[in-house]
Amino acid sequence: MTQPSFGVIGLAVMGENLALNVESRGFPVAVYNRTAEKTKNFMAQRAQGKNVTDTYSIEEFVKALAPPRKILVMVQAGKAVDAVISQLKPLLQEGDMIIDGGNSLYEDTQRRTEELEAVGLGFMGMGVSGGEEGALLGPSLMPGGTPEAYEKVEPIVTKIAAQVDDGPCVTYIGPGGAGHYVKMVHNGIEYGDMQLIAEAYDLLKNALGLNHTQLSEVFAQWNQTEELNSFLIEISTEIFKKIDPETNLPLVDVILDSAGQKGTGRWTVVTSLELGVPIPTIYAAVNARVISSFKEERLAASEQLNGPTDQKYEGDVQEFINKVRDALYCSKMCSYAQGMALMAKASEEFGFNLNLSEIARIWKGGCIIRAGFLDKIKTAFKDNPQLPNLLLAPEFKQTILDRQQAWRDVLTVANRLGIPVPAFSASLDYFDSYRRERLPQNLTQAQRDFFGAHTYERVDKPRGKFFHTEWLNNSSS
């Protein structure tokens, strides 16, 4: 058996599947897990007969690898990653590399890169998207670090990544924490996408009264369209079909309506505030998960707070389904536009030099947010790398202008029936705010100057010239 130079630490499902993916592409692998029993079970079952070397201590793991070693760490983000690095560091030699494949905070990745490169070790933070199936069959990979570090792993990552019509779903993202930053924003967009789909489902189920079979049929039809063809729509089609064996009800109706979050959505919101980039759709999606967790309070409130007495839509059913489809697409465009704008600003602020066209391309396959219209996003930024906002790309601009009335109609119905659509609403507000030549923040600036002498600019004077008014005595300077 050829001595491996690639190893995986952490054999939860993602670690196991990535190890098997690497081995299946012709690269022998060494594996280690803190719990020996986990390693033994993996070797006895899924890795049986494969070119996988099992090890039972960090020292044994490092010795099993031929230098220059490439070690993929698949443990929980945060302190666990630092703990593994501290164990590995004294055992490695110059030229060896550690790859963090978890959902680490990009600032931690930046710190780890600097610390390890200072002692001659390589480090990469690599976003991995695609879930369990993607990890095994081909994920979307977002590696960040030095170009030299990427060159060392390129032969492997280009083989294990998902393959689409224009190449493997991996590219060099940028220096330091760039890979994990892009993965973080990817997850923020994913939050937005999932919430928008949930709101569409809520409208079809509770405004129109569609049953699970009808919902599955509608989503299947949507998945055949150029606009909404995507992994998340596809799996929703299957979810609606599943019947719970205990209750004989649609399983989705038995699942508690309280959603969790692992942090990347929240981090995306925080960094957007720090960089001053509006991402209201993504924020609404994160907030929707937070409020869903107040299940007991919502149950109590539902007995005391009444909504509209009108509970059903009385118009043409198919016409409303089509309007919800259009509203969903317009809202998705806004969510992706916000994510792309955030990455563009981060690229400028942190020196990432991100290629937004390439990022859209590697999201076309393997990842959770893979969708047909990512090819259009790729083209939009390839045609104009300096595009300030995706909504201004010719094809997207015309599409949203053509469908905005349906979008507005859907929100009108939702408000009238008391069905919350926070992400749909946030998306339309984003569009309306972005397209407005003048917003009411002139009053905000006047108020700030009134109570805090914060000053303001004038529309009839050059930008950058500031004024203050003594509001109560009607004099200004």
Side-chain angles (χ1 to χ4, degrees), residues 431-440:
F431 170 73
D432 280 336
S433 296
Y434 191 67
R435 68 171 183 80
R436 285 275 299 276
E437 184 271 335
R438 190 162 172 82
L439 292 170

Side-chain angles (χ1 to χ4, degrees), residues 2 40 82 109 117 123 163 179 215 220 230 267 285 297 348 354 369 383 391 420 437:
T2 306
K40 291 176 181 177
D82 286 323
T109 302
E117 286 181 353
F123 185 79
Q163 308 292 317
L215 287 165
S230 66
W267 295 344
E297 284 189 43
E348 175 187 329
L354 300 180
I369 64 171
D383 291 346
L391 300 183
E437 184 271 335

Side-chain angles (χ1 to χ4, degrees), residues 71-353:
I71 298 170
L72 177 62
V73 178
M74 296 298 297
V75 300
Q76 187 174 5
K79 293 180 180 179
V81 177
D82 286 323
V84 170
I85 290 173
S86 66
Q87 290 178 293
L88 286 171
K89 197 172 174 181
L91 304 175
L92 300 181
Q93 61 191 57
E94 187 172 348
D96 290 346
M97 183 191 309
I98 299 172
I99 307 160
D100 176 12
N103 279 331
S104 289
L105 181 62
Y106 72 96
E107 293 168 323
D108 289 341
T109 302
Q110 184 69 43
R111 168 180 57 80
R112 292 164 184 152
T113 301
E114 293 169 0
E115 290 173 355
L116 290 169
E117 286 181 353
V119 295
L121 298 176
F123 185 79
M124 297 194 75
M126 183 171 71
V128 180
S129 179
E132 298 175 15
E133 182 178 322
L136 180 64
L137 303 179
S140 175
L141 300 173
M142 293 150 260
T146 65
E148 295 75 20
Y150 179 69
E151 286 177 9
K152 293 180 181 179
V153 301
E154 187 175 19
I156 297 176
V157 295
T158 53
K159 292 288 187 183
I160 68 171
Q163 308 292 317
V164 292
D165 57 351
D166 47 9
C169 292
V170 60
T171 191
Y172 172 65
I173 297 295
H180 275 144
Y181 193 94
V182 168
K183 177 56 164 56
M184 175 189 71
V185 177
H186 164 285
N187 284 20
I189 295 172
E190 180 183 309
Y191 271 59
D193 225 351
M194 294 175 73
Q195 177 62 25
L196 290 167
I197 292 170
E199 290 174 18
Y201 149 71
D202 198 7
L203 285 163
L204 298 182
K205 177 180 173 63
N206 291 306
L208 296 183
L210 299 192
N211 61 37
H212 65 101
T213 301
Q214 293 168 318
L215 287 165
S216 181
E217 290 170 352
V218 168
F219 273 66
Q221 291 166 4
W222 286 357
N223 199 46
Q224 299 304 312
T225 65
E226 184 181 20
E227 298 88 352
L228 294 182
N229 171 255
S230 66
F231 173 71
L232 286 170
I233 293 290
E234 178 186 339
I235 66 171
S236 298
T237 301
E238 298 303 318
I239 287 169
F240 294 133
K241 294 178 183 178
K242 191 71 172 179
I243 301 299
D244 174 41
E246 291 187 32
T247 63
N248 206 34
L249 295 171
L251 180 57
V252 69
D253 291 346
V254 181
I255 296 174
L256 186 70
D257 56 321
S258 178
Q261 55 169 326
K262 293 187 176 180
T264 47
R266 183 177 69 253
W267 295 344
T268 307
V269 170
V270 170
T271 188
S272 76
L273 294 172
E274 292 172 341
L275 294 177
V277 179
I279 57 166
T281 307
I282 296 170
Y283 176 78
V286 174
N287 193 56
R289 292 198 188 189
V290 173
I291 200 168
S292 78
S293 69
F294 288 77
K295 179 63 178 179
E296 287 72 23
E297 284 189 43
R298 290 191 290 112
L299 281 170
S302 69
E303 297 175 358
Q304 302 178 57
L305 303 176
N306 298 322
T309 55
D310 188 3
Q311 296 293 317
K312 295 295 179 184
Y313 178 74
E314 300 298 340
D316 184 278
V317 170
Q318 188 57 53
E319 180 183 43
F320 190 69
I321 290 173
N322 293 341
K323 286 183 177 181
V324 173
R325 176 201 63 204
D326 290 347
L328 176 57
Y329 186 47
C330 290
S331 298
K332 280 167 64 75
M333 278 190 278
C334 288
S335 183
Y336 280 77
Q338 293 161 30
M340 291 293 176
L342 178 57
M343 288 190 291
K345 180 64 174 179
S347 182
E348 175 187 329
E349 188 78 13
F350 304 135
F352 287 157
N353 194 29

Side-chain angles (χ1 to χ4, degrees), residues 16-34:
E16 281 192 4
N17 283 359
L18 283 167
L20 293 173
N21 186 350
V22 171
E23 192 276 340
S24 72
R25 311 300 173 183
F27 303 98
V29 180
V31 297
Y32 167 73
N33 192 79
R34 184 170 55 88

Side-chain angles (χ1 to χ4, degrees), residues 340-408:
M340 291 293 176
L342 178 57
M343 288 190 291
K345 180 64 174 179
S347 182
E348 175 187 329
E349 188 78 13
F350 304 135
F352 287 157
N353 194 29
L354 300 180
N355 184 328
L356 298 184
S357 178
E358 266 291 275
I359 290 170
R361 185 193 68 77
I362 67 170
W363 289 349
K364 286 170 55 179
C367 74
I368 301 301
I369 64 171
R370 62 184 182 265
F373 85 132
L374 276 162
D375 202 54
K376 296 180 180 180
I377 298 177
K378 178 198 80 170
T379 301
F381 285 105
K382 184 176 182 180
D383 291 346
N384 182 6
Q386 305 305 317
L387 183 68
N389 193 289
L390 187 64
L391 300 183
L392 299 178
E395 183 170 356
F396 289 106
K397 176 179 69 176
Q398 195 55 51
T399 298
I400 210 165
L401 292 175
D402 290 344
R403 301 177 188 219
Q404 66 169 304
Q405 189 55 55
W407 195 6
R408 297 180 192 282

